[in-house]
Amino acid sequence: MGQKLEKLSGDNLKLITVGSRGTKVYPDGFADTLTSDSWICRFMGETEGAVVSHAQIISLLQRTKDAGFDFVKF
């Protein structure tokens, strides 16, 4: 799932981590981690301290929807 989500990066945003139940599962997570059907996907600006605009967030959510992922909040 993490590799698929990385492909959603764009508009100067990049995937930093994916977590489930408070545990990092991507990248470099543990294979034996118990997960749920709720995931936290953290995208941040590509440069440190970058301000992320509403337009970037809307574009990311559109790419997420187009890739077949569902989201409940951001």
Side-chain angles (χ1 to χ4, degrees):
M1 184 169 118
Q3 292 171 342
K4 290 180 183 180
L5 289 167
E6 278 185 348
K7 293 177 183 177
L8 301 179
S9 296
D11 294 326
N12 295 315
L13 296 176
K14 65 179 178 180
L15 178 67
I16 302 298
T17 187
V18 178
S20 180
R21 298 173 40 137
T23 302
K24 179 177 136 179
V25 296
Y26 185 85
D28 304 321
F30 296 106
D32 294 336
T33 301
L34 296 175
T35 60
S36 69
D37 62 352
S38 179
W39 304 85
I40 298 168
C41 306
R42 183 174 298 247
F43 286 83
M44 295 182 73
E46 288 185 331
T47 57
E48 188 173 329
V51 175
V52 177
S53 70
H54 287 111
Q56 287 171 290
I57 294 169
I58 291 166
S59 180
L60 175 60
L61 291 173
Q62 184 66 51
R63 289 191 303 275
T64 302
K65 180 187 109 20
D66 292 346
F69 290 101
D70 192 18
F71 54 86
V72 293
K73 56 184 164 179
F74 197 84

